Amino acid sequence: QVQLVESGGGLVQAGGSLRLSCAASGRTFSSYAMGWFRQAPGKEREFVSAISLTVGNTYYADSVKGRFTISRDNAKNTVYLQMNSLKPEDTAVYYCAAQYTSSNWRISGRIYEYDYWGQGTQVTVSS
C-alpha cells in the first residue's frame, strides 16, 4: 500500500507559478513511476505528466509541455510538479498517482495503469 498526499495548490493569477508536491509513504517510493493528472469541473480526468523510477525519463501532455516540469526526490519520497506560465484552462484538481514497475524507464499517461492515487489539490488560475 502507498499513501499519497498532494500539497501546494491554490489561487494564482494567469502567468503565475505554483509548485505542487506529492509526498508518498508506505512501500518503497523508488519502485513506483509517478504521474500527475488533473480534472476540471465537468470534464474527465486527464494526464498531465509522468516520471520514471530513477533515470528521470519524463513525459508531458502537449497542453503543458514547456510550461510544467516534473521531478522527483527519492530520498524524500516526493514528486513535484513545477507549473509556470499558468493559464485559466489549467484550473483543476490535480492528483498524483503511483504505478508499480520494475523498469527504470517505464512511464505512462494511462489512468488505468496507476495503482495508487492521492486525494487531490485544487489549482485555480484567474484571468
Side-chain angles (χ1 to χ4, degrees):
Q1 191 78 5
V2 174
Q3 293 78 41
L4 303 172
V5 179
E6 303 95 336
S7 61
L11 174 64
V12 63
Q13 289 188 334
S17 298
L18 283 174
R19 188 196 196 201
L20 304 184
S21 299
C22 173
S25 60
R27 293 185 180 271
T28 306
F29 180 68
S30 58
S31 297
Y32 291 84
M34 299 299 295
W36 286 97
F37 294 78
R38 66 186 182 187
Q39 187 166 16
K43 295 188 177 181
E44 294 186 350
R45 192 169 298 189
E46 66 175 6
F47 170 73
V48 174
S49 183
I51 188 166
S52 59
L53 292 185
T54 58
V55 298
N57 194 20
T58 58
Y59 176 38
Y60 297 93
D62 288 343
S63 58
V64 306
K65 201 172 295 182
R67 299 188 298 122
F68 290 11
T69 302
I70 190 171
S71 61
R72 66 187 295 162
D73 185 337
N74 287 344
K76 295 183 178 180
N77 288 359
T78 302
V79 62
Y80 305 97
L81 185 68
Q82 178 66 44
M83 306 186 296
N84 298 330
S85 302
L86 283 162
K87 305 175 181 179
E89 51 263 44
D90 294 318
T91 295
V93 177
Y94 283 71
Y95 300 90
C96 72
Q99 176 191 43
Y100 181 79
T101 179
S102 58
S103 168
N104 284 337
W105 292 95
R106 180 174 177 80
I107 52 176
S108 172
R110 300 182 180 90
I111 292 174
Y112 63 85
E113 292 187 347
Y114 285 81
D115 303 300
Y116 299 102
W117 292 81
Q119 82 290 347
T121 185
Q122 176 71 46
V123 171
T124 302
V125 184
S126 63
S127 57

